[in-house]
Amino acid sequence: MGISGKSYVLGRREKGEGGAINIGRYYALDASLGADVFVDALKPHVILICGKRGYGKSYTMGVFIEEMLSLEEEIRKNIGIVVIDTLGIFWTLFYPNEKEKDLLERWKLMPKKFDLRILSSPANVEEYRKKGIEARELLIKTDELSPLHWAQLFNLKPTDYISAIIGRAISELNKDFSIDDILDFIKNDKRIKDEAKVIAENFLLMAKSWEIFDKNGLPINEIVKAGKATILDLSSYPEELKIVVVAIIARKIFEARIRERRKYEEAMIEKKKLKEEIPQTWLAIDEAHVFLPIESCLSKDILIKQWMRQGRQPGVSLILATQRPSSLDEEVLSHSDIIICHRLTAQEDIDALSKIRPTYMLESIEEAIKRVGTEKGVALIIDDTSETTHVIKVRPRLSWHGGEEPSALRA
Ligand SMILES: Nc1ncnc2c1ncn2[C@@H]1O[C@H](COP(=O)(O)OP(=O)(O)OP(=O)(O)O)[C@@H](O)[C@H]1O
Ligand SMILES: [Mg+2]
């Protein structure tokens, strides 16, 4: 028993520790550590990790991924993890954390590597394969992009002439086309002025150079795999493309899970065995403010309207990390049932969290965050299910953490 006297599972109503992941230990004001802290991994959740730069958000997200991959087989086989890796830092899960061996020893833990699948650009795939990591090219089916997606990609208004040209081309091409097919269509379209053709072609050639759009694309069961973590390394893509990729993939996962849910009910009624196309999915998004900003944004529409508002029934969960909770759409904060807050000092970020301070918190968010102090990996947890708050120290990573700042002292 620890400082808190209890070691219940955060995010869970019922008793029982099966399917719970151990993310750290209770942390006391004198920096001593108490009982283990668990988080429920059986039910869908929206987990928000926030905190100022360099205090452990990505590290904590890595702990979640390690723990999900360490769940007992019976549970793990029903869960797929997809990581939206904007900075290309999560591949290091493939290596054991030898650099923090002493720290791990103090926690009675051992360095460990985890198997991964990575989807990324052809150049990155080559690099990953050289390291012995399973990697495959990330391919999005060209016909899955709506005129809105194309406009977002090129930073155009949907009402701009160029957007309209591309919109007409894709609507007439209808299905199973490539970027070359769009280029050909526009080239041969006599209704378009030459000047506009050149601009549209330039945009489309740029999109082609990203080597991500493809006539066929990857099927959804190549993006989410049961019992595995699939890292989508988007680090080499421009921000607009990252947003479009997340918008399309999040929608596809959600729709597949809705179909799955219907099949599940049918299988239960007809007492048949169910073969799932994709398992319940945990989508981990680092730098979440890119995809869930205050302003309108295609990825935000899907993540809030579908994943957050309706995610319980199809069984989809989010783990979000951000440096700037004040830059997130307010709905993200109110939908998060577990908030993990590392050190946070910017007043506007503290104010953003204060707006959603639940009534069961006796102190202000500002006072609660003060208890976190300056130690990396320490965090305040606000758990809406048990209506409690806790200060914890996140356990050390078993695998190598890749998000460290480079030091000018190091070679
Ligand atoms: N639980 C922890 N135990 C021990 N060290 C930790 C822990 N969490 C973080 N650290 C240390 O803090 C460093 C920074 O953590 P991390 O990369 O997660 O920061 P971040 O909050 O994601 O920052 P940024 O906003 O720049 O992405 C790590 O490299 C690690 O050395
Ligand atoms: Mg980070």
Side-chain angles (χ1 to χ4, degrees), residues 53-54 56-59 87 89-90 286-287 321 323 401 403:
R53 189 165 159 193
K57 299 178 295 295
S58 307
Y59 196 102
L87 300 172
I89 58 174
F90 284 96
D286 204 359
E287 310 289 326
Q323 217 181 86
H401 170 58

Side-chain angles (χ1 to χ4, degrees), residues 144-316:
E144 277 174 14
L145 276 79
S146 72
L148 286 179
H149 289 121
W150 288 106
Q152 169 114 43
L153 266 188
F154 304 137
N155 232 329
L156 299 167
K157 287 203 210 78
T159 49
D160 286 350
Y161 185 51
I162 302 296
S163 305
I165 292 174
I166 297 172
R168 184 166 64 197
I170 61 169
S171 124
E172 298 200 12
L173 286 164
N174 191 21
K175 265 182 82 164
D176 302 334
F177 53 83
S178 62
I179 292 197
D180 281 331
D181 296 329
I182 313 178
L183 281 163
D184 277 347
F185 186 95
I186 291 177
K187 201 160 140 200
N188 298 323
D189 190 340
K190 299 215 165 47
R191 299 164 290 187
I192 308 169
K193 286 193 217 97
D194 280 351
E195 195 188 324
K197 275 188 188 178
V198 175
I199 301 173
E201 277 167 15
N202 267 346
F203 277 131
L204 289 163
L205 288 172
M206 178 169 76
K208 196 176 159 186
S209 74
W210 296 326
E211 300 179 289
I212 188 172
F213 299 116
D214 176 65
K215 215 171 198 154
N216 303 310
L218 282 183
I220 191 64
N221 57 10
E222 270 303 315
I223 293 172
V224 190
K225 281 241 190 260
K228 302 216 163 155
T230 305
I231 313 282
L232 267 52
D233 174 354
L234 309 182
S235 58
S236 57
Y237 303 133
E239 191 154 307
E240 300 302 330
L241 177 56
K242 290 177 186 167
I243 291 171
V244 167
V245 169
V246 170
I248 289 177
I249 284 174
R251 189 194 65 212
K252 281 173 72 78
I253 296 173
F254 189 84
E255 287 171 356
R257 283 304 305 166
I258 293 276
R259 287 197 295 277
E260 235 34 271
R261 214 32 226 184
R262 194 173 320 123
K263 280 199 285 180
Y264 172 79
E265 303 289 353
E266 284 164 8
M268 295 283 279
I269 293 167
E270 294 164 18
K271 298 199 171 62
K272 276 201 286 197
K273 233 178 133 58
L274 176 73
K275 193 175 173 321
E276 285 191 316
E277 184 189 5
I278 64 163
Q280 294 192 29
T281 306
W282 285 70
L283 184 64
I285 309 182
D286 204 359
E287 310 289 326
H289 47 270
V290 173
F291 306 99
L292 291 152
I294 296 168
E295 315 81 63
S296 78
C297 168
L298 287 175
S299 49
K300 180 173 93 169
D301 286 353
I302 310 285
L303 292 171
I304 291 188
K305 287 188 197 144
Q306 297 187 332
W307 283 67
M308 291 185 197
R309 291 194 201 150
Q310 310 169 45
R312 299 190 70 83
Q313 213 253 351
V316 291

